[in-house]
Amino acid sequence: MKGGQSSRYWGRQFSFTVAALLFTTLFFWSWENNPLLNSLLSVQEQFLMNAPDFTVDHFADPSVLTNPFGEVEEDSVSQIPEGTEDDNTVKPSESDLNRMNEPYNERKDQNRVAVSSLKKQACNYGKGRWVADDRRPLYSGFGCKQWLSEMWSCRLTQRKDFSYEGYRWQPNDCEMPEFRGAEFLRRMQDKTIAFIGDSLGRQQFQSLMCMASDGEEKPEVESVEWKYGLSIPRGAIRPDGWAYRFPITNTTILYYWSASLCGIEPINTTDPATEYAMHLDRPPAFLEWYLPQFDVVILNTGHHWNRGKLRANRWVMYAEGKPVTNRKLAEMGNAKNYTLHSIARWLDSRITLHPHLKVFLRTISPRHFSNGEWNTGGSCDNPTPLLKGSEVFQNRSSDPVVEDAVRGTKVKLLDITALSELRDEAHISHYSRKASEGINDCLHWCLPGIPDTWNELFYAQL
């Protein structure tokens, strides 16, 4: 009797052991073969998101900035005269969490799509390499006279070497669609694209006009500056912007000159020699008035943030409606940092009101003066492409001020600094028609040229 009970006991123990081993084997087999379980930890980590440095409802306030006075060298910007989603990180939605309860086979297929989508959203377009491409440039340097300023059309100068035209940018892990003017206009049907910034923004605007028209004459394209109040200010030699409409697709591309991305207004409207309030915490009035009419906005600033420019323009820094008395904020790099954070947060609040709106803040375009500045014999005479190398390896932007400004917002980063830094041979140099003898322009670019690549990156991220 005792023997029978012992046998039944050891039989139950053996059955339990076998069942446990079988369960463990099946569990680890599932872990190895189920892509959702196998990647669960890494996916959760990718969904982690740092809190934004600060949050404001409208304009930035110095009291709420965690780091309003970033370490920026005051005289680090040029004095040459003028001529994501957030942080690439995705939050898990409720539907992402619900999918974990779906049947395995259906979930496996959807997980592949999710991983592919995540790669696209997390792609760093500024990390990659320049590659030779005999299909470049995208338009003729002898043409596009309808849009392109002669001073930037290097094919019309005495320059002999144009090897800089024969390269395209290839990001490491991103798909770069081939830019075709007709396809771009179809995609932008019934939309308005606005460039707002300094003369480098104007170069990007003229580049896109040439790219959209394939560099060909388009007599049917209409000037619609009147629609946006663009005119030649009193005493100025050129208008404060241009606007053109392609009637076939009803696509408008415009540019507005705002070198600092600040609200600028005269302090005394009755005095012709008045100074101007440079409101660091307000957007340009043009942007505020016409933003509801825009579908895509590309902004830039940088090279006007120096004492010489402020004195020449008679700009006086203001914040919260009063002259800036905080000496730390009045430092040039800190004022620029504060302004960029202000406008990024303001635009983020506008995107919420206008869900169709896409906004890009472009990083700074690098200068390449060697052996001096623009007015002290500086030059950029290198004719050989890519002497500095052809590849960008870093993950972060070379313009951390702009990168930090858009973090935590819906404003997208258009990161062009590091890839442009490699192209010192593509500037206008001493071939500019307008430059005085002995003066080199190592800030602006030949067109066609590097700003075309900026537009390809912008197009890829739309």
Side-chain angles (χ1 to χ4, degrees), residues 54 56 58-62 65 261 279-283 335-349 405:
F54 56 89
V56 294
H58 194 58
F59 303 119
D61 181 327
L65 292 178
L261 297 183
H279 294 282
L280 306 180
D281 50 359
R282 298 182 191 173
K336 173 189 168 188
N337 185 18
Y338 177 57
T339 296
L340 285 166
H341 279 81
S342 297
I343 196 166
R345 264 49 191 184
W346 178 78
L347 284 164
D348 186 53
S349 70

Side-chain angles (χ1 to χ4, degrees), residues 180-220:
R180 300 181 185 277
E183 175 60 28
F184 172 78
L185 290 174
R186 281 194 295 272
R187 189 173 176 186
M188 295 292 103
Q189 184 162 352
D190 300 322
K191 289 180 170 37
T192 297
I193 303 163
F195 289 92
I196 298 176
D198 58 23
S199 59
L200 277 304
R202 183 182 167 208
Q203 283 209 300
Q204 190 176 357
F205 157 73
Q206 291 192 4
S207 163
L208 187 61
M209 289 299 300
C210 291
M211 292 167 67
S213 62
D214 297 318
E216 299 175 358
E217 291 291 316
K218 299 287 185 182
E220 72 276 12

Side-chain angles (χ1 to χ4, degrees), residues 17-34 37-38 104:
T17 302
V18 170
L21 287 172
L22 181 60
F23 175 79
T24 303
T25 302
L26 288 173
F27 174 80
F28 281 108
W29 179 87
S30 298
W31 185 275
E32 290 288 332
N33 291 277
N34 187 330
L37 291 173
N38 195 38
Y104 165 69

Side-chain angles (χ1 to χ4, degrees), residues 355-384:
H356 69 281
L357 181 65
K358 296 183 185 299
V359 180
F360 295 83
L361 188 56
R362 205 200 73 212
T363 61
I364 195 167
S365 173
R367 310 153 61 247
H368 287 99
F369 289 96
S370 298
N371 304 314
E373 286 297 318
W374 68 272
N375 57 350
T376 58
S379 63
C380 45
D381 293 330
N382 166 41
T384 306

Side-chain angles (χ1 to χ4, degrees), residues 146-164:
Q146 192 172 359
W147 327 113
L148 184 54
S149 298
E150 287 188 356
M151 63 181 175
W152 294 333
S153 182
C154 290
R155 284 278 183 173
L156 302 181
T157 69
Q158 300 303 309
R159 183 167 183 155
K160 304 297 183 185
D161 186 280
F162 301 96
S163 56
Y164 65 87

Side-chain angles (χ1 to χ4, degrees), residues 28-219:
F28 281 108
W29 179 87
S30 298
W31 185 275
E32 290 288 332
N33 291 277
N34 187 330
L36 179 66
L37 291 173
N38 195 38
S39 59
L40 185 58
L41 179 61
S42 61
V43 170
Q44 288 174 333
E45 289 172 344
Q46 291 177 51
F47 281 142
L48 290 177
M49 181 175 174
N50 292 328
D53 293 334
F54 56 89
T55 304
V56 294
D57 292 331
H58 194 58
F59 303 119
D61 181 327
S63 65
V64 297
L65 292 178
T66 301
N67 181 24
F69 311 125
E71 295 297 327
V72 182
E73 186 177 346
E74 180 167 343
D75 295 322
S76 64
V77 287
S78 169
Q79 297 189 23
I80 190 167
E82 278 281 338
T84 269
E85 302 302 337
D86 51 274
D87 201 26
N88 293 327
T89 312
V90 184
K91 278 187 174 181
S93 65
E94 187 174 346
S95 59
D96 293 325
L97 300 175
N98 289 338
R99 271 202 297 272
M100 293 184 180
N101 296 319
E102 294 173 355
Y104 165 69
N105 290 332
E106 182 179 351
R107 189 169 64 231
K108 181 171 67 174
D109 293 336
Q110 292 180 353
N111 191 57
R112 289 197 187 103
V113 175
V115 170
S116 175
S117 175
L118 183 61
K119 283 184 177 180
K120 282 187 178 182
Q121 294 180 51
C123 187
N124 183 350
Y125 284 88
K127 184 177 180 181
R129 65 194 183 281
W130 288 101
V131 296
D133 189 339
D134 58 11
R135 297 171 298 173
R136 302 303 165 110
L138 297 174
Y139 53 91
S140 169
F142 294 106
C144 203
K145 296 178 181 179
Q146 192 172 359
W147 327 113
L148 184 54
S149 298
E150 287 188 356
M151 63 181 175
W152 294 333
S153 182
C154 290
R155 284 278 183 173
L156 302 181
T157 69
Q158 300 303 309
R159 183 167 183 155
K160 304 297 183 185
D161 186 280
F162 301 96
S163 56
Y164 65 87
E165 293 181 349
Y167 293 86
R168 64 176 171 83
W169 178 251
Q170 178 57 57
N172 285 347
D173 303 307
C174 313
E175 296 179 11
M176 283 283 286
E178 186 173 352
F179 189 99
R180 300 181 185 277
E183 175 60 28
F184 172 78
L185 290 174
R186 281 194 295 272
R187 189 173 176 186
M188 295 292 103
Q189 184 162 352
D190 300 322
K191 289 180 170 37
T192 297
I193 303 163
F195 289 92
I196 298 176
D198 58 23
S199 59
L200 277 304
R202 183 182 167 208
Q203 283 209 300
Q204 190 176 357
F205 157 73
Q206 291 192 4
S207 163
L208 187 61
M209 289 299 300
C210 291
M211 292 167 67
S213 62
D214 297 318
E216 299 175 358
E217 291 291 316
K218 299 287 185 182

